[in-house]
């Protein structure tokens, strides 16, 4: 009878030969033509075979990495990793194979979990997961699925009999054929919770202990926030962010034919950027509603800029506590917020004027604009008033004050996104009979036809 190892080696060699022949059939252009000329059936068949080959490579990698991990164990006389000058077996695999340390660590961990067992006397013990090993060695599953299944079986091990373990193993393997990896992981968690319902609280506390937020300056003016959220924190964050990025709240400009009337006005921000903007808006709302102190100082955002930058909108400004400067135009837009204090600096970078925490528009005026505008004043944008900023329509004068009276005729509610567009993209606002109209710049509409802003009119006689 043919040994499993021979079958594994032969299948891997055969598939590798076919893929190699395809890849080396010619230059990259010829390879693209070969792939592009394939029928749908041939293309899907090749993708399936490549997936099987990747799984077989995983099987070999798991076995090799597991053996390297065994030879690098601390109780070995001369650990292999130490002899090679590496900190761990995973680094040995990563360095030798030119792969990521994370991938190498996964291979090592799974390889150790599936390694042959023996007694203290050296007698071999039965394999813990024979069905799983057969599926891995046969290319049916990859290392990622194997890791999920092994982890699940370990977590339920203390709460199940050997027969129940074997049944769970077969069940997970059958589902691995039809489920995605995230779905398989959720199924594993469901099995774990079924067999160990009282373990949820300790697991939750363990996740809380590992959770946190790190801030890493990248050196290019950006700061990377890395959040490891425990389930409760994930629930709060995900719900709040999704509430502000849901399709029903996306910015749209729709005409009578239900099609975009102007491609330049479509919100083209990628999802990651919209999520960040949503998180920033949540933080802004939190600061706006926070009446507490920080070391005796009200909770505010301090923005420093020169008087020239404040007047002209040209130059830079600095947010207190943030290294990378922002544009003066952004600082002037921020100065409209209720909890932003602009600090105007003179030639010696000394404060000349400290703005008030509530800039110009009172709470009553914001209420009046909310009633008039109904939310963001930009066309059909449906961001509610609570998430809008009271924007100044007129520019700032030489004294750093806005032109015109401080009343609602010089203000319009905008969401943060459209406030930035209004300030930076050349748009204007004109009131006619108390109704605001947006005037587009010439490059958006050469005729600069006014567009109704604020609350849309109701039905006749309504």
């Amino acid at each position: 009878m043919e040994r499993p190892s021979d079958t594994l080696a032969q299948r891997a060699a055969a598939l590798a030969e076919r893929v190699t022949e395809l890849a080396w059939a010619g230059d990259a252009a010829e390879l693209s033509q070969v792939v592009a000329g394939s029928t749908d059936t041939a293309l899907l068949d090749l993708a399936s075979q490549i997936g099987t080959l990747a799984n077989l490579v995983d099987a070999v990698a798991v076995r090799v990495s597991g053996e390297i991990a065994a030879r690098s164990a601390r109780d070995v006389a001369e650990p292999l990793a130490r002899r090679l000058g590496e900190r761990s077996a995973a680094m040995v695999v990563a360095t030798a194979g030119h792969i990521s340390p994370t991938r190498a660590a996964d291979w090592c961990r799974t390889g150790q979990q599936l390694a042959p067992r023996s007694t203290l006397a050296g007698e071999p013990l039965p394999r813990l997961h024979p069905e799983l090993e057969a599926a891995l060695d046969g290319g049916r599953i990859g290392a990622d699925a194997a890791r999920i299944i092994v982890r699940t079986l370990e977590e339920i091990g203390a709460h199940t009999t050997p027969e129940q373990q074997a049944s769970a193993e077969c069940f997970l393997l059958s589902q691995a054929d039809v489920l995605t990896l995230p779905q398989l992981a959720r199924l594993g968690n469901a099995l774990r919770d079924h067999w160990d319902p009282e373990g949820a609280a300790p697991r939750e506390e363990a996740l809380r202990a590992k959770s946190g937020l790190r801030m890493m300056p990248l050196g290019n003016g950006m700061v990377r926030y890395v959040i490891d959220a425990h389930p409760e924190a994930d629930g709060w964050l995900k719900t709040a962010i999704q509430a502000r990025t849901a399709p029903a709240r996306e910015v749209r400009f729709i005409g009578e034919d239900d099609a975009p009337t102007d491609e330049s006005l479509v919100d083209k921000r990628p999802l990651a950027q919209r999520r960040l903007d949503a998180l920033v808006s949540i933080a802004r709302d939190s600061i706006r509603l926070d009446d507490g102190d920080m070391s005796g100082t009200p909770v505010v955002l301090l923005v420093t800029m020169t008087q020239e930058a404040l007047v002209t909108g040209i130059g830079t400004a600095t947010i207190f506590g943030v290294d990378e400067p922002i544009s003066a135009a952004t600082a002037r837009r921020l100065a409209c917020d209720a909890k932003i204090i602009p600090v105007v600096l003179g030639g010696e970078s000394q404060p000349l004027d400290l703005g008030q925490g509530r800039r110009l528009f009172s709470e009553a005026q914001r209420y009046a604009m909310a009633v008039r505008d109904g939310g963001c004043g930009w066309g059909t944008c449906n961001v509610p008033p609570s998430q809008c900023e009271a924007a100044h329509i007129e520019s700032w004068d030489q004294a750093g004050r806005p032109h015109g009276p401080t009343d609602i005729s010089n203000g319009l509610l905008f969401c943060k996104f459209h406030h930035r567009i209004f300030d930076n993209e050349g748009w204007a606002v004109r009131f006619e009979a108390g109704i605001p109209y947006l005037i587009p710049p010439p490059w958006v509409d050469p005729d600069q036809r006014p567009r109704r802003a604020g609350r849309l009119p109701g039905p006749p006689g309504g």
Side-chain angles (χ1 to χ4, degrees):
M1 180 179 292
E2 193 175 29
R3 294 180 301 171
S5 59
D6 292 336
T7 301
L8 171 61
Q10 289 173 359
R11 291 189 66 189
L15 285 173
E17 182 178 358
R18 178 174 180 184
V19 173
T20 301
E21 288 177 355
L22 177 63
W24 288 358
D27 57 21
E30 183 176 346
L31 174 59
S32 298
Q33 293 174 358
V34 170
V35 173
S38 300
T39 64
D40 292 348
T41 302
L43 199 61
L44 292 175
D45 179 63
L46 182 60
S48 175
Q49 291 188 327
I50 290 174
T52 302
L53 177 60
N55 289 345
L56 291 172
V57 170
D58 264 356
V60 176
V62 163
R63 300 301 190 186
V64 172
S65 301
E67 183 62 25
I68 291 176
R71 299 185 186 188
S72 301
R74 293 181 180 180
D75 55 356
V76 176
E78 294 183 3
L80 177 59
R82 182 178 299 176
R83 293 206 317 267
L84 297 175
E86 299 291 355
R87 297 190 303 273
S88 63
M91 289 307 301
V92 172
V93 176
T95 302
H98 301 287
I99 62 172
S100 71
T102 301
R103 188 65 172 167
D106 288 340
W107 281 344
C108 289
R109 189 179 306 110
T110 306
Q112 288 176 292
Q113 293 166 328
L114 299 180
R117 302 181 303 147
S118 61
T119 65
L120 294 177
E123 296 294 329
L125 291 172
R127 314 290 291 194
L128 277 177
H129 309 296
E131 297 295 332
L132 174 61
E133 292 186 57
L136 179 64
D137 291 346
R140 179 178 160 193
I141 63 173
D144 292 329
R147 185 178 68 254
I148 292 172
I149 295 174
V150 170
R151 183 196 66 203
T152 302
L153 296 176
E154 286 183 341
E155 289 175 337
I156 69 175
H159 310 279
T160 54
T161 64
E163 292 75 16
Q164 290 170 329
Q165 279 261 326
S167 176
E169 181 179 348
C170 292
F171 173 67
L172 289 169
L173 285 171
S174 68
Q175 296 304 305
D177 292 332
V178 295
L179 299 181
T180 63
L181 287 174
Q183 290 173 330
L184 184 63
R186 288 196 292 270
L187 178 61
N189 291 340
L191 285 181
R192 176 200 63 193
D193 295 338
H194 171 74
W195 291 108
D196 182 24
E198 297 181 358
R203 286 193 297 269
E204 183 180 1
E205 288 306 313
L207 293 177
R208 285 180 181 275
K210 296 178 181 178
S211 64
L213 184 151
R214 290 172 290 160
M215 297 178 287
M216 301 182 295
L218 300 182
N220 61 352
M222 303 279 278
V223 177
R224 176 168 295 159
Y225 284 73
V226 179
I227 301 176
D228 295 307
H230 54 78
E232 181 184 351
D234 182 36
W236 283 108
L237 290 172
K238 189 173 295 180
T239 301
I241 291 174
Q242 288 178 346
R244 302 196 182 196
T245 57
R249 292 188 176 183
E250 288 182 357
V251 179
R252 292 186 177 92
F253 296 83
I254 304 300
E256 293 181 357
D257 58 351
D258 203 34
T261 58
D262 195 328
E263 186 66 22
S264 67
L265 301 181
V266 176
D267 184 357
K268 298 180 180 179
R269 291 174 298 168
L271 179 59
Q273 192 174 94
R274 286 189 282 125
R275 284 173 175 166
L276 175 61
D277 286 347
L279 188 59
V280 171
S281 70
I282 293 169
R284 289 176 52 253
D285 287 350
S286 174
I287 293 176
R288 183 182 295 117
L289 299 174
D290 194 331
D291 294 327
D293 292 341
M294 296 187 301
S295 301
T297 303
V299 180
V300 294
L301 184 67
L302 295 175
V303 179
T304 59
M305 60 194 306
T306 65
Q307 185 172 14
E308 181 181 2
L310 176 64
V311 172
T312 64
I314 301 174
T316 62
T318 302
I319 299 175
F320 183 77
V322 177
D323 294 334
E324 185 71 12
I326 60 176
S327 68
T330 296
R332 298 206 308 176
R333 174 172 52 81
L334 288 175
C336 298
D337 198 278
K339 285 297 182 77
I340 306 297
I341 295 184
V343 182
V344 183
L345 303 178
E348 301 297 326
S349 295
Q350 296 296 320
L352 296 178
D353 176 62
L354 186 65
Q356 297 298 314
R358 184 172 300 282
R359 284 296 283 189
L360 301 176
F361 291 109
S362 68
E363 187 174 5
Q365 288 173 320
R366 286 180 59 90
Y367 285 146
M369 284 188 280
V371 172
R372 182 195 65 192
D373 302 336
C376 178
W378 195 280
T380 57
C381 178
N382 52 10
V383 172
S386 62
Q387 298 175 25
C388 291
E389 301 169 340
H392 296 90
I393 295 174
E394 298 293 339
S395 60
W396 299 67
D397 65 16
Q398 295 299 314
R401 296 185 301 267
H403 290 303
T406 306
D407 56 33
I408 62 175
S409 64
N410 190 45
L412 191 65
L413 293 184
F414 283 132
C415 67
K416 182 178 180 181
F417 175 71
H418 285 121
H419 194 170
R420 185 165 58 245
I421 296 295
F422 176 75
D423 281 351
N424 298 334
E425 301 296 332
W427 289 75
V429 170
R430 184 174 71 216
F431 281 87
E432 297 180 5
I435 299 173
Y437 288 86
L438 286 165
I439 311 300
W443 53 87
V444 172
D445 181 3
D447 297 328
Q448 293 189 283
R449 289 167 293 188
R451 305 182 182 191
R452 173 87 181 228
R455 187 186 298 275
L456 296 178

